[in-house]
Amino acid sequence: MPQTPSHSTRKRSKRSRKSRSSSSSSADENVNNQSKRYKGRIPPIEEQASTMAEQAATGVSLQSLNDKLDLIHATLLTTDRSVGDLKESVVQISKTLEYALDEFEDIKSDNRQLRKELGTCTSKINILEAKCDEQKENILDLQCRQMRDNLLFFNLPEIDEESTNRQGTESVLRGFLNAQLKIPDDLQTKEIHFDRVHRIGKKQINKTRPIVAKFNPYKGKLIVLDHSKNLRGTKFGIGEQYPPEIQARRKTLVPIMKQYRDAGARVKLSVDKLYVNGQLYTESSHRSIPVVTAQKSIHVSTDDPPGEHSSIAINVDTFIHSDLVSVKNTTFQAHAVRITSKEQVKAALSVLKIDEQIQKATHLMSAYRLYEQGNWGDGYNDDRESTAGKRLLEIMTEENLFGILVVVSQWSREPKLGLERFKTITTMGRAIMKRLTAT
């Protein structure tokens, strides 16, 4: 059974609690007093620190601002000096420009005067050139007249006696007249006389120089030319003598003369002038010179042969021509003309080839189809473009066309066009046929 505390013990406990309570209160009061003293000191310190911070910051900002202001001031001074220099430069440039403008006006005036003088000089030069050309032609005419009694003989063998005896060359020539031209000695003695006979050019090994002979009288020259037909099939030749300038002109005209001759035209080459069917040939007039007579056929079906035909003259303008068509590096042009015989095919092709541009074509593909003397005839020429001409003929057959010749000219450059060219050839050929038969 527990014991109950006594009265004395309870008193001591009360006194002990009171003592501890008083001690605790005293300690709290001391803490509060110290705290109050510290709190009183903190605000002045904070104010002092804030003031010091503001002073320090203000001092740094002012110094930086002063530095910037000094820099701006220096920059403005430099700018002022630059502006001053620029003004001086502008003034100087203005003066220079005014001087240049004055000089330019003077130059313009001088240029106008020079142009006027140049025009006068050009006119005078043109007049002088015309007179010079006229004088050249007069000189050439005189040279031709001086040479009109001369003949050139080619491939007559040279002998050693010619170099030592002036009569040696004439002896060779007279032997030639007798042996090759079949001119009797008595006719030579009576009609053929020479003022001079000699070789032309410097003697060379393995090369025979031509002989030039001046006849007197002129009748002897005509006799020799009349017998020149006896030289056909031999290596010998006879020709007129002309100045080099005339020879160059004749060299250009000879191929043209042959083309017209092959086309059935009457041609004559007189000195440096070509006459075709009595008309003087020139580069500007050759397109209108009639060359060969042909018949104009009318397009009908194969079941109905051609009937009436009208006579026309085939020349370059008788052809109809398409526009030039360029595909990459290749150019094409189609041509067509009416024909009624194979002979006219050949003649028409010769007429077409008179054109200088067509002469330069790399390929001339052609085809024709006709009805001649109750028989059908056709032909084609690929001209190294495989099946190109054949395709043109196939179009004529498919469309029942006849009495026409179609040519497609082609100017090729590298790189070559390829298979696409055949499509262009057939398309242009079909179009030109349609145009021709529609007229």
Side-chain angles (χ1 to χ4, degrees):
M1 179 175 184
Q3 295 182 2
T4 304
S6 65
H7 179 72
S8 61
T9 301
R10 288 194 295 272
K11 283 184 178 181
R12 284 194 300 271
S13 296
K14 290 181 180 180
R15 284 195 299 269
S16 178
R17 286 195 295 271
K18 287 181 180 180
S19 176
R20 287 195 299 269
S21 176
S22 62
S23 296
S24 175
S25 298
S26 176
D28 292 338
E29 185 177 355
N30 289 333
V31 170
N32 290 333
N33 290 333
Q34 290 292 336
S35 176
K36 288 180 181 179
R37 284 198 300 270
Y38 286 128
K39 286 182 179 180
R41 293 178 182 177
I42 288 173
I45 293 173
E46 289 179 348
E47 292 178 0
Q48 185 177 2
S50 176
T51 301
M52 291 176 66
E54 289 178 357
Q55 290 177 353
T58 302
V60 172
S61 298
L62 289 175
Q63 183 63 37
S64 176
L65 183 60
N66 287 333
D67 294 340
K68 291 181 179 180
L69 289 176
D70 292 340
L71 180 61
I72 292 171
H73 180 67
T75 303
L76 289 175
L77 291 177
T78 303
T79 303
D80 289 341
R81 287 194 294 270
S82 299
V83 170
D85 295 340
L86 184 59
K87 287 181 178 179
E88 292 180 2
S89 299
V90 169
V91 171
Q92 185 64 31
I93 291 172
S94 298
K95 292 180 180 179
T96 304
L97 182 60
E98 290 177 359
Y99 176 77
L101 290 174
D102 293 339
E103 288 290 323
F104 180 70
E105 290 298 328
D106 293 339
I107 292 173
K108 285 177 64 178
S109 177
D110 293 342
N111 188 36
R112 284 193 293 268
Q113 183 63 28
L114 289 173
R115 284 175 178 267
K116 187 182 296 184
E117 294 177 359
L118 179 61
T120 303
C121 291
T122 302
S123 300
K124 291 181 178 179
I125 289 173
N126 290 336
I127 294 172
L128 291 174
E129 286 181 345
K131 290 183 177 180
C132 184
D133 291 338
E134 183 180 356
Q135 292 298 323
K136 286 182 179 179
E137 293 301 318
N138 291 335
I139 292 172
L140 286 175
D141 182 64
L142 290 173
Q143 289 177 338
C144 289
R145 291 178 183 274
Q146 290 177 349
M147 295 178 178
R148 64 183 176 181
D149 295 331
N150 298 357
L151 279 180
L152 293 172
F153 298 86
F154 301 95
N155 295 326
L156 274 66
E158 297 188 42
I159 61 175
D160 295 336
E161 186 181 351
E162 293 184 51
S163 59
T164 58
N165 185 357
R166 293 184 179 180
Q167 300 299 320
T169 305
E170 182 175 343
S171 300
V172 171
L173 179 56
R174 287 195 177 275
F176 168 79
L177 298 179
N178 183 270
Q180 301 298 331
L181 295 183
K182 312 300 182 185
I183 301 177
D185 291 336
D186 57 344
L187 182 59
Q188 289 193 45
T189 303
K190 182 179 179 180
E191 301 291 350
I192 299 177
H193 304 282
F194 303 110
D195 280 346
R196 188 176 181 186
V197 179
H198 63 88
R199 298 276 182 177
I200 297 178
K202 186 177 180 180
K203 187 174 182 179
Q204 299 181 17
I205 300 175
N206 298 327
K207 185 174 181 181
T208 303
R209 295 174 294 170
I211 294 176
V212 58
K214 183 176 179 63
F215 290 81
N216 186 10
Y218 184 76
K219 183 179 179 181
K221 176 181 176 181
L222 297 179
I223 294 174
V224 171
L225 290 175
D226 186 55
H227 287 75
S228 61
K229 58 186 177 182
N230 295 322
L231 296 180
R232 292 176 183 173
T234 68
K235 66 176 182 178
F236 304 105
I238 298 177
E240 300 274 1
Q241 186 184 25
Y242 296 103
E245 294 86 349
I246 301 298
Q247 290 179 2
R249 296 176 189 176
R250 288 173 63 87
K251 186 176 181 180
T252 302
L253 292 173
V254 166
I256 300 173
M257 179 185 68
K258 290 181 179 179
Q259 289 178 349
Y260 275 110
R261 181 183 292 160
D262 293 341
R266 293 180 293 103
V267 294
K268 180 182 178 182
L269 183 58
S270 178
V271 189
D272 61 342
K273 293 179 176 58
L274 175 63
Y275 294 90
V276 181
N277 292 336
Q279 297 185 27
L280 177 64
Y281 169 87
T282 60
E283 291 185 359
S284 59
S285 68
H286 80 278
R287 298 183 67 87
S288 60
I289 298 177
V291 177
V292 65
T293 300
Q295 291 179 324
K296 181 179 180 181
S297 66
I298 302 172
H299 166 58
V300 293
S301 67
T302 55
D303 297 329
D304 184 12
E308 297 296 329
H309 304 289
S310 59
S311 177
I312 63 171
I314 292 181
N315 54 48
V316 178
D317 289 330
T318 305
F319 281 84
I320 63 172
H321 310 273
S322 72
D323 294 331
L324 292 172
V325 175
S326 295
V327 183
K328 297 182 180 178
N329 288 333
T330 304
T331 303
F332 301 87
Q333 187 178 26
H335 324 271
V337 69
R338 297 183 182 274
I339 48 94
T340 57
S341 68
K342 292 182 180 180
E343 290 74 16
Q344 291 168 6
V345 172
K346 181 180 178 181
L349 288 172
S350 296
V351 171
L352 186 64
K353 292 177 182 178
I354 292 174
D355 188 280
E356 293 182 358
Q357 285 300 115
I358 294 178
Q359 290 177 17
K360 297 176 182 178
T362 53
H363 305 283
L364 282 175
M365 296 73 68
S366 62
Y368 71 90
R369 189 166 180 261
L370 53 86
Y371 184 84
E372 183 180 13
Q373 297 178 355
N375 297 314
W376 293 99
D378 57 38
Y380 64 87
N381 182 4
D382 295 329
D383 194 16
R384 296 173 288 113
E385 283 286 29
S386 179
T387 73
K390 184 178 180 181
R391 297 185 187 195
L392 295 175
L393 179 58
E394 290 174 350
I395 295 173
M396 293 181 187
T397 305
E398 292 171 2
E399 300 293 336
N400 289 332
L401 302 177
F402 57 86
I404 61 174
L405 166 67
V406 174
V407 182
V408 178
S409 52
Q410 176 180 329
W411 294 266
S412 300
R413 297 187 300 273
E414 295 294 338
K416 293 185 178 180
L417 182 58
L419 296 178
E420 188 177 353
R421 67 188 187 277
F422 294 109
K423 179 181 178 180
T424 305
I425 292 169
T426 54
T427 301
M428 297 186 69
R430 190 183 298 273
I432 202 73
M433 294 178 201
K434 185 176 180 180
R435 279 183 55 194
L436 182 65
T437 55
T439 57

